[in-house]
Amino acid sequence: MSQFMVEFVLPREMPEDFLAKIPHQRLKINQLMESGKITAYSLSIDRSKLWCVVNANNEFDVMEIISEFPLIDFMHPTIFELMFNNTATAVKLPMFSLN
């Protein structure tokens, strides 16, 4: 299993049908995060780009996963295979003893 960073370019103007699908997008992202298929999901402050980290075997599997996004018809994805992806949750701190 590999990790992939997917960068999405979002539309400058967000039509009504885009806005109506945002709650469905969030629900799908939450489901994919709970299943471990997506480990990170971020939106730029200007709402022009979106990034997610996907666990998959290959780019084809990534495309299958992101094709489930309700907003995929409005997005232009670029997929990058990652060498590594460090996160704060991956860092193990030593346990402290209260004795």
Side-chain angles (χ1 to χ4, degrees), residues 45-61:
I45 191 76
D46 66 359
R47 297 182 178 148
S48 66
K49 290 193 178 181
L50 184 70
W51 299 274
C52 67
V53 176
V54 179
N55 289 322
N57 292 318
N58 51 51
E59 283 190 40
F60 181 79
D61 290 348

Side-chain angles (χ1 to χ4, degrees), residues 61-74:
D61 290 348
V62 173
M63 290 300 294
E64 282 189 336
I65 291 167
I66 66 174
S67 72
E68 299 177 30
F69 290 5
L71 294 175
I72 194 62
D73 292 336
F74 300 94

Side-chain angles (χ1 to χ4, degrees), residues 8-40:
F8 299 93
V9 176
L10 300 175
R12 290 180 187 256
E13 299 293 323
M14 296 181 181
E16 286 294 319
D17 47 341
F18 178 94
L19 297 173
K21 290 182 178 184
I22 291 174
H24 303 286
Q25 176 79 7
R26 290 297 311 157
L27 180 62
K28 178 49 95 175
I29 294 301
N30 289 341
Q31 291 170 346
L32 291 168
M33 290 185 88
E34 287 175 14
S35 72
K37 291 181 180 178
I38 290 180
T39 60

